[in-house]
Amino acid sequence: MLKSLIRPLLAGTILISSAMAASAVTYVRGNDGDPETLDQHKTSTVVEAHLLRDLYEGLVVYDAKAKIIPGVAEEWTVSDDATVYTFKLRDDAKWSNGDPVVAADFVFSLRRIMTPDTGAKYSNILYPIKNAEAINKGEMEPDQLGVKAVNERTLEVTLEQPTPYFLELLTHQTGLPVNPKAVEAHGTDFVAPENIVTNGAYKLVSFQPGDKIVMEKNENFHDADSVKIDRIEYLPIEDRATCVRRFEAGEVHSCSDLPTEQIKSLKERLGDQVRITPYLGTYYYALNMKREAMADPNVRQALSMAIDREFLGEEIWAGSMLPAYSLVPPGIGNYEGGGAQAEWADMSPLDREDKAIELMKEAGYGEDNPLTVELAYNNSENHKNTATAIADMWKPLGVNVEFNVRDLSAHYANLRDQKDFDVARAGWIGDYSDPQNFLFLVESDNTGFNYAQYENPDYDALMDKAAAETDLVKRAEILREAEALFLADMPYVPLLFYSSLSLVSPKLSGWEDNIQNVHGTRFMSISE
């Protein structure tokens, strides 16, 4: 499929569609794959977030440095008890069809994502809104959600309890509005280019899976005068090396990931065009606890203990990733004192391997009775190299690995829906800087992201207790206890903490490195 992306090009030029005027400024942007959908209420991946950030604008948005700035809401106030947010919408916010963006649009959108029939896998991220969880579980009607259009320009949101990261939540794609008329007229087909109505800096022109997604400047966007790039062509390039080749050929302006084995040579050839930035994310393997072998805690601990994370970080990822012995990355906000880590984290690799072999024997596995596991990952040379190295590390335990490789969208669809795997690669990039955003992944009712199908009432109770605690220090202590329990049960095997790896052309201005790795095109410009 990727070969179909490579088309003859005029040497030294950037792709510009014949449909565009010669003077149009076009940004050809490498993306790590195709989106499963452009429905903001059903998306979950970073690939989709990049696209939706250009198509829609929420109440608040990230600027080029990932700082929260006003979006559709030009200002807001918070009640004394921190449970009621009142947003004043700007007068000039419009949809791409020219209609005004009004408070009722956000009421419609937030009710829609919580309605069970919508099937939003990411709905629980907005559970801090009053009655959201009950509605999402079918226990209340959507009109009981704690959102109200006071008038066309005033939106009131009531929370279950003070939530220190609530504005951060609203920067996520789940907080983006849908156009009610488009949804009511076209149902799930509202995302089709001929139907979609957006309120961001760009509007959708075409979507050819495996080829490209084209957007053009939305002249009805309130800040259109400051948008310098007329057209975006998003190319789904899952093979990182292919994106590098196209970048060096002048065919793309940026790549959103890099083949780590090339980083050293890329730095030598391209210098500052190679961007390596700390990133709020964890790379991990999910262990399917519904499978007989993975249901055994000794097997889960042994698989985790036998992995040499330092080797992965230095040799496979060329120093671009850090070893992870916890789920929550270091440096995250609202986690005073830091998180928990695996009890055996300070043991030597050899001692860990001996202990892992011992645990596998207790579970009934070893050289005389090997365990065969299917390890699933999405297509990428980095993921392949990681999986191959880990398979070698597991051999002394009597574990034979069979690989199952899918493209990005098929892989994550399997993790969320079919859950047909023993072990599966996954990564989580923080939507906001708070440990809850990592620890909520394995709550038992988080069917969208609890790929391991982990169920521990004690863990759920600790997460509920933390949610009710308003003292941030006490809340951090509770979350740390939950993370320690997670590490004792090991439904996920934390492997590495991310850095973001990008290639950015010197022709592209306004790309600011930031820990969230968010880069709205509206803040950039291109010089030829």
Side-chain angles (χ1 to χ4, degrees):
M1 181 180 69
L2 289 173
K3 289 182 179 177
S4 67
L5 296 174
I6 306 173
R7 296 181 171 182
L9 297 169
L10 295 175
T13 64
I14 295 297
L15 271 174
I16 298 178
S17 168
S18 58
M20 285 294 294
S23 60
V25 178
T26 299
Y27 174 15
V28 185
R29 184 166 181 165
N31 209 7
D32 291 346
D34 266 326
E36 284 185 70
T37 175
L38 291 177
D39 183 340
Q40 51 268 62
H41 292 168
K42 297 183 180 181
T43 64
S44 60
T45 67
V46 174
V47 164
E48 293 153 345
H50 292 323
L51 298 160
L52 291 165
R53 192 173 295 114
D54 282 338
L55 290 172
Y56 292 94
E57 182 180 57
L59 293 165
V60 295
V61 300
Y62 282 133
D63 68 6
K65 297 182 179 179
K67 302 299 182 186
I68 290 177
I69 61 172
V72 173
E74 59 185 359
E75 58 184 34
W76 54 88
T77 59
V78 185
S79 64
D80 290 342
D81 66 356
T83 61
V84 180
Y85 284 69
T86 303
F87 297 93
K88 182 70 173 178
L89 276 55
R90 60 178 72 249
D91 291 335
D92 53 355
K94 293 181 179 179
W95 293 99
S96 54
N97 63 2
D99 289 347
V101 179
V102 296
D105 296 336
F106 283 93
V107 174
F108 177 91
S109 299
L110 291 168
R111 286 178 179 175
R112 178 179 183 264
I113 192 172
M114 288 304 157
T115 301
D117 288 346
T118 300
K121 304 294 187 184
Y122 223 138
S123 53
N124 57 3
I125 196 173
L126 295 173
Y127 277 3
I129 299 176
K130 190 173 181 61
N131 297 332
E133 183 173 3
I135 294 166
N136 194 231
K137 292 180 176 178
E139 298 166 358
M140 295 181 74
E141 293 299 315
D143 61 4
Q144 297 301 300
L145 188 66
V147 294
K148 180 171 68 176
V150 178
N151 55 50
E152 282 197 349
R153 300 296 174 198
T154 307
L155 178 73
E156 184 178 282
V157 180
T158 302
L159 307 182
E160 291 280 1
Q161 57 204 21
T163 305
Y165 50 88
F166 181 63
L167 288 178
E168 290 268 357
L169 288 181
L170 296 180
T171 64
H172 190 261
Q173 60 256 41
T174 50
L176 298 173
V178 295
N179 182 271
K181 289 181 181 177
V183 174
E184 289 168 352
H186 305 290
T188 56
D189 290 335
F190 84 92
V191 297
E194 63 273 23
N195 300 329
I196 195 168
V197 179
T198 65
N199 76 322
Y202 293 89
K203 55 189 178 184
L204 182 66
V205 175
S206 64
F207 177 8
Q208 295 294 327
D211 185 4
K212 61 185 172 185
I213 292 173
V214 178
M215 302 178 190
E216 290 179 0
K217 184 175 174 178
N218 175 13
E219 297 298 340
N220 285 308
F221 181 57
H222 62 84
D223 199 24
D225 289 346
S226 67
V227 177
K228 306 300 184 187
I229 293 175
D230 302 309
R231 177 183 171 95
I232 316 168
E233 295 184 1
Y234 273 99
L235 308 188
I237 308 176
E238 294 193 22
D239 185 303
R240 277 62 170 168
T242 298
C243 196
V244 169
R245 287 194 294 273
R246 300 193 68 172
F247 181 89
E248 293 192 280
E251 298 170 5
V252 298
H253 290 102
S254 65
C255 294
S256 52
D257 201 0
L258 304 176
T260 54
E261 70 274 13
Q262 294 187 27
I263 286 179
K264 182 178 179 181
S265 63
L266 285 172
K267 286 181 177 177
E268 292 172 355
R269 296 200 305 276
L270 301 173
D272 292 343
Q273 296 176 73
V274 180
R275 306 288 186 92
I276 301 176
T277 307
Y279 197 15
L280 194 65
T282 304
Y283 186 106
Y284 64 89
Y285 277 1
L287 307 179
N288 188 344
M289 294 178 65
K290 297 300 182 185
R291 298 293 174 88
E292 181 179 353
M294 298 304 149
D296 189 324
N298 282 349
V299 172
R300 299 195 301 272
Q301 283 293 341
L303 293 178
S304 183
M305 294 176 73
I307 296 172
D308 186 341
R309 292 157 173 82
E310 283 73 14
F311 176 86
L312 296 179
E314 290 297 325
E315 302 299 328
I316 303 297
W317 292 85
S320 63
M321 305 273 264
L322 297 172
Y325 293 94
S326 61
L327 182 61
V328 181
I332 200 166
N334 300 330
Y335 213 11
E336 186 172 327
Q341 69 171 9
E343 292 182 352
W344 39 262
D346 294 330
M347 293 171 61
S348 72
L350 288 177
D351 287 344
R352 292 210 308 261
E353 182 179 289
D354 289 343
K355 181 62 178 177
I357 292 172
E358 180 183 326
L359 289 173
M360 288 297 286
K361 286 182 178 177
E362 290 179 15
Y365 300 105
E367 292 184 357
D368 297 336
N369 184 31
L371 170 66
T372 298
V373 301
E374 178 195 279
L375 198 169
Y377 62 90
N378 55 296
N379 190 24
S380 153
E381 60 275 31
N382 293 342
H383 303 327
K384 177 183 177 182
N385 293 339
T386 301
T388 301
I390 288 177
D392 285 341
M393 295 171 191
W394 285 348
K395 283 181 180 176
L397 311 186
V399 175
N400 298 321
V401 175
E402 296 176 351
F403 300 111
N404 193 331
V405 186
R406 298 178 174 89
D407 63 31
L408 181 74
S409 57
H411 176 71
Y412 274 96
N414 178 43
L415 263 61
R416 279 193 300 272
D417 302 327
Q418 290 82 37
K419 294 183 171 59
D420 183 17
F421 64 88
D422 295 318
V423 181
R425 186 214 80 83
W428 184 254
I429 305 303
D431 300 308
Y432 47 91
S433 187
D434 189 280
Q436 183 273 348
N437 190 226
F438 285 80
L439 297 173
F440 91 115
L441 293 173
V442 287
E443 291 180 11
S444 62
D445 61 353
N446 190 351
T447 56
F449 296 104
N450 185 356
Y451 307 139
Q453 304 181 76
Y454 174 55
E455 296 180 19
N456 185 332
D458 292 337
Y459 183 86
D460 293 340
L462 285 168
M463 294 301 291
D464 290 342
K465 185 179 179 182
E469 179 58 63
T470 58
D471 184 303
L472 288 178
V473 175
K474 293 179 180 177
R475 177 175 176 270
E477 292 174 356
I478 299 166
L479 291 173
R480 189 160 36 250
E481 187 178 350
E483 187 173 21
L485 185 54
F486 161 88
L487 291 165
D489 289 340
M490 201 62 75
Y492 288 176
V493 177
L495 296 172
L496 298 161
F497 295 126
Y498 278 97
S499 295
S500 62
L501 309 174
S502 309
L503 281 179
V504 182
S505 167
K507 296 179 179 178
L508 186 63
S509 300
W511 178 295
E512 299 279 354
D513 296 329
N514 60 71
I515 194 169
Q516 297 281 21
N517 197 27
V518 293
H519 306 283
T521 304
R522 60 180 281 199
F523 301 111
M524 298 187 224
S525 61
I526 290 176
S527 60
E528 297 295 341

